[in-house]
Amino acid sequence: MRAAMLKVGEAQWAWDVEADNVEQVPKFASVESVETASFVVDTRWNANTRDLRFRQGLAHAIDCETIVEKILKGQGGCRALSYHPSTTGVPADLKPYPYDPEKARQLIRESGFEGSKVVVVAASESYTKSNEVVEAVISYWSDVGLDPEVQFVEPAIANRILRDVGGVPAEATIHPKIAMDGVPHMRLLGHTNDIIEPEPTWQYASCTMYIAWSC
């Protein structure tokens, strides 16, 4: 709608036009942001995601570059951390896990969790093309022999899942299915760090914020 309004002159400028629609507008600019998206992984309650080899296998299974190219139309990048590279203290030589499905299968096999369930909770449409990105990741995990599932929920429920599952899974009361099935294996987290200092992001990773279940 925003692109259409620009095209017919009903608006002079618009913010956040989808990459699919920018060719409809007379002129556009694209700049890098500090927005990141990552999977906050449970390393506490689920046996498979507690295993480092399994987590490494999950990472090797994802073709991030293709996701950026095909789904995000080049508007993004693949990073080793949920930090913008300009953030104080980020190692310049740290690279994402390369796409290597054979390595992924090997690591998952070594972990002993071939064919196991992987449940992802994601806030529906939390950012541009987020649903499509998650579905792509799920398909890559299926390709290496896992049984992944995504539960798209309202953003408020997704946030409560981060905050409220702090004890044993049986104590989870925030969502009937989550309480029944136990702690999800991971949650998609959109994150921005506008001051590019490490502390705000580190609080998520170190559980000093509210992500106790993933410690």
Side-chain angles (χ1 to χ4, degrees):
M1 183 181 292
R2 291 188 288 268
M5 291 176 68
L6 287 170
K7 188 175 182 179
V8 299
E10 291 183 359
Q12 282 69 55
W13 64 273
W15 176 262
D16 204 18
V17 175
E18 287 273 3
D20 291 340
N21 299 325
V22 293
E23 299 302 331
Q24 299 181 35
V25 303
K27 186 177 182 180
F28 69 91
S30 175
V31 296
E32 187 175 354
S33 78
V34 292
E35 299 286 344
T36 60
S38 58
F39 290 100
V40 180
V41 183
D42 167 47
T43 62
R44 184 181 185 188
W45 298 111
N46 287 291
N48 53 3
T49 48
R50 277 206 309 265
D51 192 294
L52 175 61
R53 296 164 298 181
F54 187 83
R55 298 197 304 272
Q56 289 173 332
L58 293 178
H60 279 297
I62 302 170
D63 187 353
C64 180
E65 297 290 348
T66 295
I67 290 175
V68 170
E69 178 187 354
K70 300 295 185 182
I71 298 177
L72 300 179
K73 308 298 183 184
Q75 301 295 302
C78 302
R79 296 173 181 160
L81 296 169
S82 57
Y83 286 60
H84 188 273
S86 297
T87 304
T88 303
V90 171
D93 58 348
L94 196 61
K95 305 297 182 185
Y97 284 95
Y99 174 53
D100 188 340
E102 289 307 314
K103 180 71 170 177
R105 291 187 186 94
Q106 175 191 338
L107 288 164
I108 292 168
R109 187 165 53 248
E110 290 175 0
S111 75
F113 293 106
E114 288 180 278
S116 62
K117 192 81 175 175
V118 181
V119 178
V120 180
V121 172
S124 185
E125 302 292 354
S126 59
Y127 59 89
T128 300
K129 301 291 186 182
S130 63
N131 285 20
E132 291 87 342
V133 168
V134 175
E135 288 167 348
V137 170
I138 290 294
S139 72
Y140 285 124
W141 288 339
S142 293
D143 290 344
V144 295
L146 296 174
D147 181 23
E149 173 191 335
V150 58
Q151 298 175 8
F152 289 111
V153 298
E154 295 178 357
I157 293 175
N159 288 335
R160 289 175 63 191
I161 289 169
L162 281 180
R163 290 183 173 91
D164 294 350
V165 187
V168 296
E171 296 174 354
T173 59
I174 40 81
H175 193 269
K177 185 169 178 56
I178 300 300
M180 179 179 65
D181 294 346
V183 175
H185 294 84
M186 62 192 73
R187 147 82 155 97
L188 177 70
L189 177 68
H191 175 55
T192 183
N193 185 344
D194 299 296
I195 61 174
I196 62 172
E197 288 294 332
E199 184 177 2
T201 304
W202 175 244
Q203 287 176 337
Y204 285 91
S206 66
C207 300
T208 53
M209 286 287 282
Y210 47 70
I211 316 177
W213 64 264
S214 64
C215 291

